[in-house]
Amino acid sequence: MGILRRLGSVVGAVGLVASPLAPAAQAQQPVTLRVAIIQQVDSLNPFLATYQASTEVGRLMYDYLTAYDAKDQRPVEGVAKSWEKSADNLTWTFTVPDGKKWSDGQPITAKDVGFTYNLMMTDKDAATANGSFVANFESVTVPDDRTVVIKTKVPQASMLALDVPIVPEHVWKGVGKIADYKNDVTPSVSSGPFVLSEYRANEFIKFKANKEYWRGAPKYDELHFIYYKTVDAAVQALDKGELDLVNRMGPAQFDSLKGKSGITLNKAQGRRFNELVLNSGAATKTGEPIGDGHPALKDVKVRQAIAKAIDQDAIIARVNGGYAERGTGPIPPVFPDYHLTPEKVRPFDPAAANTELDQAGYPKGSDGIRVGADGKPLKLRLVGHTSRAYDEQAGEYIKSSLADIGIAVDVQLVADTLLDEQGVAGKFDLIFSGWGTNPDPDFILSLHTCDSRPESPTTSGTTDTFFCDKTYDELYAKQGAELDPAKRSALVKQMQQRFYDEVPAIILGHDNSLEAYRNDTFASFTIQPDPGGVIMAQNGMWGYYGAVPVAAAGAASSGPSGLLIAGIVVVVLLVVGGVLLLARRRGATAGDRE
Amino acid sequence: MTAPPLVRPSPRRGGGSGLLRHVAGKVGGALVSLAAVVVLGFFLFRLIPGDPTVTMTRGRQVDEAQIAELRALHGYDRPIVEQFGKYVGGLLHGDMGTSLFYRRTVAELIGERVGPTLLLVGTSTLIAVTLGLWLGIRGAWRRDSPFDRASTGVALVGWAMPAFWLGMLLSMVTGNLFPSGGMRFSSTPPDFWSQALDVAHHMVLPCLTLIAVVYAQYQLVMRSSLLEEMNADYLTTARAKGLRDDQVRRRHAVPNALLPTVTLVFLHIGLVVTGAITVETVFSWPGLGLLTYEALAGPDLPLLQGTFVVLAGSVIVMNVLADLLYQVLDPRVRAS
């Protein structure tokens, strides 16, 4: 009977603890923004973190030297308030104003900036994530607490887009080996609007509002990022009220939330695009051909005909569920300064494509498939990811579109890693690819320069198109050194026009970012850009920083009621267990007596 | 040995050394299996297409020197035999390597995740075994009764259902009663009772799912092995002694019928850890299954190897335990 008595006391204890706890918890509940996080955070150390989720979290803790305006993404005050460049465009002087403080009360000075950049220039580990930003730096000096002077080897256009979190020198100078430092000490010493308060790997990351933040503290107390392994689960949690904000939704998930009470949807312009790469002649830097691409794709007329035969609007309507914008060049409409609107939009015109292919010397064979001058029929392989529904659906669509112009397509869906391997080795005719883009266009443009091709047939380059075009490369060099925004914008558009005309790839569409939030807990968020922008995955932290809670938001939390139910479940289980045990004991004693 | 051959060793001493030999044999066999797992894990995952260093730097601007450096750092530039030697050497020192993705030691990552998995798998196995055995015994004792037919039917339906599908279904039909994922709410107070209750609350659905899809095997094995015992002579004897039906069952039939079931239970505890992968993914449960899934997506070779060795190792250890437990439960095994 000892066990039973002990059980009884446990049940009693549970009841005692559970019942007074619920209302108490409700009363002190801080106003919290709960956000779903789907992607893994690879590291909280800003020098190592490369995943989008990690850099997004990093922005909450550490300001960059300059920030991107919420409205139009122009460079605005970050750690530095003002800046000027020398006549030769090689020396930049940034001024860090008085009065900004780290969350521990220490002043933010130019020394912190100098420390961060110099660390990245001297310590290889510190250059892991963002080393490319300082690769062209000649020197970074700090003549006084308010001034940072950066000298570059050649003019650098991205000096107001240095996505490098500035860390507090007084904390980080004590860090031994950067590569081994997790930076999960709480509370963190932040210059951004939030302070890390608890980190449970794969469960949640919790932040508290930084009361010292120089723009003013956020309008609520805590920000929680909660892990969900699938977007489906996150959408369900939003619907149930366990979450306040979700992004990365697919069209079907987004549509499933339409018309639900308490939920506001945000269809925003995105920064990601899907493209169909045409193997226009994969080769190494030295021009040595690699892979086994179809020779006919080296002919620009064939590539143009393929582009004309694919109805991009139909793909967007059917595969993207309408949630995408038509692609032209790689830079999406969300960056209007650089987005290309071609003078002559290529029409969807299979008939014209047929005529052009006839004229270019690709007559149809007896089976309806065109044959090149070398006698090789135009049978192309299209490689896509098994993991992506987009590739499967768009692949079938492209197959039937190209059949109309006498080109046969064999859609091959493979594992991501295999696709990477085939792409890098040039072993494809057509392949699905895609990139996320930044406000500064340099990186995305650099992908299609001759220098991005691999060193040798066995190594990999950063390019996915293997495009190598003299005109394009000359324009690329010019835009990199052009510091006049209007002139640079014109050059960038010219490059994309060249890309559009030469068709090393067809930009199929720029995905919309699909987000949703609970309007019964949070009234509004700052979007970027405004209008049409995103709440999460911004170039900045405005979405989280500018969130405005509904006045009585705290009471709606499901935590306490959940606790109550859990309490009841446990108590019921214990009672049932106890009764069963008791029944057994009775049976046993009866048996013994017989 | 100088003892005269005619003198037989005493049964106890003979049994003792036999037992030792038996245990040593089993443990030795397990070690061989474990070695095979280590070898297999190492070479198997290297067949996955894709260069881990390329995967690590996907979408980032890296030059050849950086790639080469990464390769050198992780030893991927060395001959595969040398890599293997280094890996085994590390393992012997308890070093499972460093995750490419997290840049943390594999042992640390596994240590972090093993708790939630043990909690989930342990609780659900305990309930599934109890439920399965109870239903199996009842069903066999009243064979072909409506209870027997209904419970067998229900069990088989559960057994046939894919875990991920059942999980999503349960989550949908229970509405707001249970959380849709995770192990605790981020806003739960840090004191022990609040945390424990919150975890219990979060565990209900993943637990139910795991139980529903596995308990059938315990029930069916228990049922059939009890049925085999039902016609045995010793039960007739027991009844002739005047024991109640209930006692005949509990004291005589069930203990004998339990033997095959115990083996099965232990074999499956190891497998259940693996089976938790889908359930952990559906409910975002921060356990080993989820870690394996993440490691596969990379592929994060050191992490994948580590989880593989741990998961396979748990099956092997449970096998040995089952063998040893058999010794205790079944006098016949002890004697032979």
Side-chain angles (χ1 to χ4, degrees), chain B residues 286-304:
Chain B
L288 271 187
L290 207 53
L291 191 67
T292 314
Y293 174 86
E294 288 162 15
L296 256 175
D300 189 337
L301 286 181
L303 189 54
L304 203 51

Side-chain angles (χ1 to χ4, degrees), chain A residues 14 17-18 21 29 40-43 48 50-51 124 128 182 200-204 206 224 226-229 233 236-237 240 242 416-418 420-421 435 443 446 455 459-460 462 558 562-563 565-567 570 584 587 591-592 594, chain B residues 48-51 54-55 58-62 64 69 101-104 108 112-113 171-172 175-181 183-187 191 193-194 197-198 200-201 204 244 247 250-251 281-282 284 286 290 293-294 298-299:
Chain A
V14 170
V17 175
L21 191 134
Q29 199 76 236
Q40 289 297 314
V41 167
D42 53 349
S43 174
L48 305 178
T50 52
Y51 275 49
K124 253 186 187 165
T128 305
K182 290 182 217 151
R200 269 186 194 271
N202 293 291
E203 289 192 62
F204 44 74
K206 286 160 81 165
H224 296 178
I226 301 162
Y227 276 104
Y228 284 87
K229 201 56 218 175
Q236 216 170 58
K240 288 180 181 180
E242 294 164 23
D416 296 6
T417 46
L418 187 59
D420 284 347
E421 207 163 75
W435 293 89
F443 176 68
S446 76
E455 301 260 355
T459 57
S460 60
T462 48
S558 65
L563 269 182
I565 293 169
V570 171
R584 278 202 78 87
D592 290 340
E594 269 174 82
Chain B
I48 297 181
D51 180 335
V54 171
T55 312
R58 185 162 31 187
R60 284 165 59 201
Q61 212 158 14
V62 281
E64 295 312 317
E69 200 180 310
F101 173 74
Y102 288 99
R103 299 188 195 89
R104 290 170 59 195
E108 190 183 2
E112 211 168 64
R113 309 290 193 93
S171 176
M172 265 175 233
N176 271 338
L177 273 182
F178 301 104
S180 42
M183 196 163 112
R184 70 194 103 203
F185 285 120
S186 57
S187 52
D191 64 286
W193 280 110
S194 314
L197 287 179
D198 196 26
H201 186 197
V204 173
R244 279 196 297 118
Q247 284 174 315
R250 220 170 50 228
R251 294 255 180 97
T281 307
V282 168
S284 307
L290 207 53
Y293 174 86
E294 288 162 15

Side-chain angles (χ1 to χ4, degrees), chain A residues 197-212:
Chain A
S197 63
E198 191 182 352
Y199 177 58
R200 269 186 194 271
N202 293 291
E203 289 192 62
F204 44 74
I205 310 169
K206 286 160 81 165
F207 292 94
K208 284 199 164 88
N210 178 7
K211 304 290 179 204
E212 301 277 359

Side-chain angles (χ1 to χ4, degrees), chain B residues 194-216:
Chain B
S194 314
Q195 289 283 327
L197 287 179
D198 196 26
V199 171
H201 186 197
H202 277 79
M203 212 166 65
V204 173
L205 285 187
C207 230
L208 267 183
T209 311
L210 266 180
I211 293 166
V213 296
V214 301
Y215 85 91

Side-chain angles (χ1 to χ4, degrees), chain A residues 73 268-274 324-341 435-441 444-445 492-493 496 507 509-513 529 539:
Chain A
Q73 321 217 30
Q269 288 187 317
R271 286 156 51 184
R272 241 200 81 79
F273 63 81
N274 289 304
E325 289 169 278
R326 204 174 199 282
T328 53
I331 298 171
V334 73
F335 302 121
D337 287 349
Y338 298 118
H339 176 66
L340 171 73
T341 316
W435 293 89
T437 54
N438 296 315
D440 189 277
I444 199 75
L445 295 173
V492 168
K493 285 180 184 172
Q496 293 182 86
I507 310 292
H510 299 281
D511 291 350
N512 287 138
S513 278
N539 279 301

